[in-house]
Amino acid sequence: MVRAFGIWPNRFIIARMNQLIKKLVLTCVGLLALVTSIAAQDNGFDFSKRVGVATVNDKKELCLAIPNSSLIAGSRLTLIITDGRQSAGEAIVVNPLVAACTENAGTEDGNSYYLLKVTKGGSKFIPSDRVFGPFIAIFEVPSPVKVFKGIVTSDFDGNRTREYYRQCTSGEGVHLTIWAGRPLRGKRLWNWYHYLGYDVVPNCKQADYKEN
């Protein structure tokens, strides 16, 4: 009887400890999933500060307008062509400017301006009589963009939903947009109106410019 009395409490304690360990493991797994989910939803990428528009001015300079005054000479940007067959390139800041370097940089207030030099992407991005933009310009991309069959996508916010890029015309300008998911069906993350100064055939949809 003494031996049996000594065995059962030990078994009870071991079983109880196993239950506590299982609960602890499940709790840790749940917390890890929650933290991972939160990190995936927001990794700090601010489209409103890290995305602008590059265009070629009358001096055949590639001019960047972006609501971000922290860029310096050598800052790297990814350029995206959204008109027709999409493509991606790269550029660096040559120097910041104290005034606008183009007359049609957009309607947004608080822009800063920079001259850019194309470092990757070839003649499609180098200023000429045939190359004038506008290009979507993204400052310090956290991960490379992908180009597949003429469509550029990315996942800058790390939520595993690809970002897509779109361009459409409206009156005398171009609407540039970035979407979480397919354009017009997903959530619009960023938009910019680029004034052209001449009439174009409108083809934008309401989702391209309506307030979210």
Side-chain angles (χ1 to χ4, degrees):
M1 292 297 294
V2 174
R3 185 177 181 183
F5 180 76
I7 293 175
W8 285 107
N10 290 339
R11 290 180 176 176
F12 173 79
I13 292 172
I14 292 172
R16 182 59 177 168
M17 289 179 64
N18 286 336
Q19 290 177 355
L20 292 174
I21 291 172
K22 288 180 180 179
K23 288 182 179 180
L24 181 61
V25 170
L26 291 175
T27 300
C28 291
V29 170
L31 288 173
L32 179 61
L34 177 62
V35 170
T36 302
S37 176
I38 292 173
Q41 292 174 13
D42 182 11
N43 66 357
F45 190 86
D46 187 351
F47 286 90
S48 67
K49 296 294 184 182
R50 308 251 305 256
V51 185
V53 170
T55 186
V56 178
N57 62 18
D58 294 337
K59 298 178 181 179
K60 296 295 188 290
E61 299 169 325
L62 188 58
C63 168
L64 169 67
I66 187 171
N68 190 330
S69 60
S70 67
L71 280 67
I72 60 174
S75 293
R76 297 183 177 277
L77 298 103
T78 294
L79 304 178
I80 297 176
I81 294 175
T82 53
D83 185 20
R85 189 173 181 84
Q86 297 181 351
S87 183
E90 296 178 5
I92 59 172
V93 172
V94 176
N95 58 274
L97 301 172
V98 295
C101 48
T102 177
E103 295 180 355
N104 56 346
T107 59
E108 290 72 12
D109 295 327
N111 285 331
S112 295
Y113 299 91
Y114 305 86
L115 289 182
L116 302 182
K117 177 183 178 181
V118 176
T119 58
K120 185 178 180 180
S123 59
K124 292 179 288 187
F125 295 94
I126 297 175
S128 69
D129 292 334
R130 295 185 177 183
V131 177
F132 43 83
F135 311 128
I136 293 178
I138 305 149
F139 172 49
E140 289 187 343
V141 297
S143 57
V145 300
K146 294 183 178 180
V147 184
F148 181 69
K149 293 184 177 180
I151 297 177
V152 176
T153 64
S154 58
D155 186 16
F156 296 149
D157 54 14
N159 64 359
R160 298 184 182 180
T161 297
R162 304 298 296 178
E163 293 125 13
Y164 287 78
Y165 300 81
R166 172 174 162 83
Q167 172 177 322
C168 66
T169 53
S170 175
E172 295 182 338
V174 174
H175 285 273
L176 302 168
T177 50
I178 302 176
W179 304 77
R182 293 284 181 175
L184 303 179
R185 290 184 288 174
K187 178 183 178 182
R188 198 182 71 216
L189 301 173
W190 175 89
N191 69 300
W192 184 293
Y193 179 71
H194 178 81
Y195 177 68
L196 293 174
Y198 53 85
D199 292 334
V200 290
V201 178
N203 63 4
C204 286
K205 308 297 182 183
Q206 189 177 12
D208 285 305
Y209 52 82
K210 72 178 181 179
E211 296 295 329
N212 287 326

